[in-house]
Amino acid sequence: MGVTFKDIKADIMTKITSGDWLPDTIIPNEIDLAETYGCARATVNRAMRELADDGVIERRRKAGTRVRKKPLRQARFSIPIVRDEIEAQQAEYRYALVSSEVIKAPTWLRARLKLTEDAKTLHLVCMHYANGAPFQFEDRWINLSVLPQAKDADFTVQGPHEWLVATVPYSDVEISFSAAIADQDLSEHLSCAIGDPLFTVERSTWWQERAITFARLSFCPGHRMTTRY
Amino acid sequence: MGVTFKDIKADIMTKITSGDWLPDTIIPNEIDLAETYGCARATVNRAMRELADDGVIERRRKAGTRVRKKPLRQARFSIPIVRDEIEAQQAEYRYALVSSEVIKAPTWLRARLKLTEDAKTLHLVCMHYANGAPFQFEDRWINLSVLPQAKDADFTVQGPHEWLVATVPYSDVEISFSAAIADQDLSEHLSCAIGDPLFTVERSTWWQERAITFARLSFCPGHRMTTRY
DNA sequence: GAGTGGTCTAGACCACGTT
DNA sequence: ACGTGGTCTAGACCACTCT
């Protein structure tokens, strides 16, 4: 076979990263490129479309294709289940349910998830350990009006995240990262000092426009989330 | 026109999110789907390929296509230049250079970026303000052996990140998020209390296998990074 | 109006991995 | 060996948007 779309992608990327095609440079149109590379226009189109998805180039009908002035830098983080994250590091995973109760949603949670005033929730507090050491503290709230079966699930053996992913696999998620400070409670569970800075993830989940769950995950001091792009 | 690949994507997604096709369900092959939808196989292929890229389905030759057991959850964060991030919030951006010096790379930095012992660096300390309030503290190190022209750049008017993106637009980046604690210095610059938890981003950048720069960005207390997926 | 990318088609051959 | 996805082709028509 002749030229593949991957060859074209690689060639264009080389031209860009080497500084041959500077930002704002206009790239030849698809027909010309197809002739240059000796392939069909569809092949060029696939290459260029993927480069545009990657945020490297910008395309507009009639105006043509150009190298982005400022590359659209975006990082992708995989959001694994805690067990998988720990086991991926060849560490032994252990889980423990700290507490579990059915209560009316507190005001701050109702505001977050837009719940009605009488909404009942299952409030779970859990710990996740890696090689016996505290790894993550999980403060979990599940909306019982949408998922009443959560009341009967056994969360002493399986973490709520795992249960939820198995029960409602495809949902909409809003995730946010921030820094928090260890209070008395957190410091005891995570075996750290009061006042330690903790990397914190908050996640709200919806299924078909209805709020399912909110979780605040506090990681042990020193935890970092890393990726490349 | 008949059926588009977007129609097919939407239809398949509906089948999956509605629970019609549960995780691990095997999806009909492309030829059958093309017949079902009354379109060419290439159209089905495009739809399925994108769903696979999104982490919703899993494809293997001969074995066929199936709904992922655990959806491959991944979040995409756009990594804007601070100025753009602040101006996107309709806030007024202000930048200030705090200090600038040329020094030999300290040991920890040499280890991070794999620099030689005599590597010279430009060490910059900068502040970014939103509507006059401290927004981000930037601790920046630029490798002068790769970018000697940084010594002559005027960092009193333009932040180093902006200058770097304009100078070396396409590079490889490792980014990591964590939580840190405000020390005396940080608390003064960010107008916060000593001991406040700060959301922190560290970024190392390479261009053609050579380390260009390292930056530690400390955000004012309460800052969060949010996205949906 | 005209040029560009966006998409679809019908067919073909290939690469891979399961059986 | 064979069934599946992966890719390319040559052509066509359409949708957008710049001038």
Side-chain angles (χ1 to χ4, degrees):
Chain A
M1 162 101 32
V3 179
T4 72
F5 78 94
K6 285 181 185 174
D7 294 334
I8 299 177
K9 272 185 79 170
D11 188 56
I12 304 271
M13 271 310 277
T14 303
K15 285 196 164 67
I16 292 175
T17 56
S18 71
D20 198 352
W21 284 353
L22 293 172
D24 231 33
T25 302
I26 295 162
I27 293 177
N29 68 36
E30 296 191 345
I31 295 169
D32 291 349
L33 284 174
E35 201 171 328
T36 305
Y37 289 111
C39 66
R41 192 192 137 210
T43 307
V44 172
N45 179 271
R46 168 101 190 252
M48 303 301 271
R49 180 157 35 80
E50 293 201 357
L51 287 171
D53 285 345
D54 294 346
V56 173
I57 61 178
E58 227 171 349
R59 322 194 75 192
R60 261 155 48 226
R61 288 160 145 124
K62 165 75 178 179
T65 301
R66 62 181 57 207
V67 181
R68 281 197 112 93
K69 280 180 310 199
K70 300 171 184 176
L72 213 205
R73 304 202 151 288
Q74 44 185 20
R76 284 167 95 125
F77 288 90
S78 67
I79 314 287
I81 291 181
V82 204
R83 160 182 263 121
D84 298 338
E85 187 177 358
I86 289 173
E87 290 178 346
Q89 298 166 14
Q90 269 88 43
E92 179 218 359
Y93 173 71
R94 191 162 67 78
Y95 162 79
L97 177 64
V98 175
S99 71
S100 164
E101 58 172 341
V102 176
I103 57 166
K104 284 209 320 196
T107 312
W108 64 268
L109 185 65
R110 292 211 312 269
R112 279 251 192 183
L113 299 183
K114 298 182 189 105
L115 301 177
T116 56
E117 197 172 337
D118 60 339
K120 289 233 172 183
T121 64
L122 178 61
H123 179 209
L124 303 167
V125 176
C126 322
M127 277 300 301
H128 305 269
Y129 301 87
N131 282 338
F135 181 82
Q136 182 192 99
F137 176 90
E138 176 174 2
D139 187 26
R140 167 76 62 175
W141 303 75
I142 300 175
N143 182 359
L144 288 175
S145 7
V146 177
L147 284 178
Q149 65 267 48
K151 202 158 26 178
D152 303 317
D154 184 1
F155 290 113
T156 59
V157 293
Q158 187 185 32
H161 190 193
E162 276 181 272
W163 182 83
L164 284 159
V165 164
T167 309
V168 191
Y170 291 91
S171 45
D172 296 313
V173 180
E174 179 181 287
I175 193 167
S176 85
F177 301 154
S178 58
I181 200 160
D183 59 14
Q184 168 105 34
D185 196 36
L186 280 166
S187 71
E188 282 172 13
H189 282 102
L190 292 171
S191 311
C192 67
I194 293 176
D196 275 355
L198 304 177
F199 181 67
T200 302
V201 173
E202 291 179 351
R203 185 161 42 205
S204 307
T205 307
W206 285 265
W207 184 66
Q208 296 181 346
E209 312 299 314
R210 307 208 293 171
I212 299 178
T213 181
F214 170 82
R216 177 181 290 113
L217 312 171
S218 305
F219 288 84
C220 59
H223 183 81
R224 31 180 73 235
M225 230 176 120
T226 303
T227 194
R228 286 168 207 280
Y229 62 90
Chain B
M1 161 99 33
V3 179
T4 73
F5 78 93
K6 285 182 183 173
D7 295 334
I8 299 177
K9 273 186 79 170
D11 188 57
I12 304 269
M13 271 310 278
T14 303
K15 285 197 165 66
I16 292 174
T17 56
S18 71
D20 199 353
W21 285 351
L22 293 173
D24 231 33
T25 302
I26 295 162
I27 293 177
N29 69 33
E30 296 191 346
I31 295 170
D32 290 350
L33 284 174
E35 200 171 330
T36 306
Y37 288 111
C39 66
R41 192 191 136 209
T43 306
V44 172
N45 180 271
R46 168 103 188 250
M48 303 300 271
R49 179 156 37 78
E50 294 201 358
L51 286 171
D53 285 345
D54 295 345
V56 172
I57 61 177
E58 226 171 349
R59 322 193 73 191
R60 262 154 49 226
R61 286 158 145 124
K62 166 76 178 178
T65 300
R66 61 181 57 207
V67 181
R68 280 197 113 92
K69 280 176 310 201
K70 298 172 184 178
L72 212 206
R73 301 203 150 288
Q74 46 184 17
R76 284 167 95 124
F77 288 90
S78 66
I79 315 287
I81 290 181
V82 204
R83 159 182 263 124
D84 299 339
E85 186 176 359
I86 289 172
E87 289 178 346
Q89 298 165 14
Q90 268 89 45
E92 180 217 358
Y93 173 72
R94 191 163 66 78
Y95 161 79
L97 177 63
V98 175
S99 72
S100 164
E101 58 171 343
V102 176
I103 57 167
K104 286 209 320 196
T107 312
W108 64 268
L109 185 64
R110 293 213 312 269
R112 279 250 192 183
L113 299 183
K114 295 179 190 110
L115 302 177
T116 56
E117 198 173 335
D118 61 339
K120 289 233 173 183
T121 63
L122 178 61
H123 179 207
L124 302 167
V125 176
C126 321
M127 277 299 304
H128 305 270
Y129 301 87
N131 282 338
F135 181 82
Q136 182 191 98
F137 176 90
E138 176 174 1
D139 186 27
R140 168 77 61 176
W141 303 75
I142 299 175
N143 183 358
L144 289 174
S145 6
V146 177
L147 284 178
Q149 66 267 48
K151 201 159 26 179
D152 303 318
D154 184 0
F155 290 114
T156 60
V157 293
Q158 185 184 35
H161 189 193
E162 275 181 273
W163 182 84
L164 284 158
V165 165
T167 308
V168 191
Y170 292 90
S171 45
D172 296 314
V173 180
E174 178 182 287
I175 193 166
S176 83
F177 300 154
S178 58
I181 200 158
D183 60 14
Q184 169 104 35
D185 197 36
L186 280 165
S187 72
E188 281 171 14
H189 282 103
L190 292 171
S191 310
C192 66
I194 293 176
D196 276 355
L198 305 177
F199 181 66
T200 302
V201 173
E202 291 180 351
R203 185 162 42 206
S204 306
T205 306
W206 284 265
W207 183 64
Q208 296 179 347
E209 312 298 314
R210 308 209 294 171
I212 299 178
T213 181
F214 170 80
R216 179 181 288 112
L217 313 171
S218 306
F219 288 84
C220 60
H223 183 81
R224 31 180 74 235
M225 233 177 120
T226 303
T227 194
R228 285 165 210 280
Y229 64 89

